[in-house]
Amino acid sequence: MKTNSGAKKRFTLTGTGKIKRKHAFKNHILTKKSTKRKRNLRYFGTVDKADMKNIKLLLTNK
């Protein structure tokens, strides 16, 4: 079975087994957003514990 191609573009696994993700709302219409808000959206976040199981299924070859 194949890895989900949408998931492999959006998520990466860390060495400790957590899943990194990018923040939403940093794509367009940036003029009305404050500099502080845009700066905080730059950095990677981690996927919530509730979603980990489903995303790991998408990233691994089933």
Side-chain angles (χ1 to χ4, degrees), residues 27-38:
N27 201 5
H28 61 104
I29 316 174
L30 298 172
T31 51
K32 63 174 79 169
K33 294 169 190 159
S34 69
T35 310
K36 180 180 178 181
R37 183 174 166 190
K38 290 185 281 190

Side-chain angles (χ1 to χ4, degrees), residues 8-21:
K8 75 181 172 189
K9 293 170 193 171
R10 288 170 174 85
F11 302 106
T12 53
L13 280 167
T14 63
T16 56
K18 294 178 184 174
I19 302 172
K20 287 197 310 187
R21 63 168 178 83

Side-chain angles (χ1 to χ4, degrees), residues 21-24 26 34-45:
R21 63 168 178 83
K22 285 187 79 173
H23 284 104
K26 180 80 171 56
S34 69
T35 310
K36 180 180 178 181
R37 183 174 166 190
K38 290 185 281 190
R39 184 173 61 245
N40 288 332
L41 291 173
R42 274 182 212 155
Y43 310 109
F44 282 90

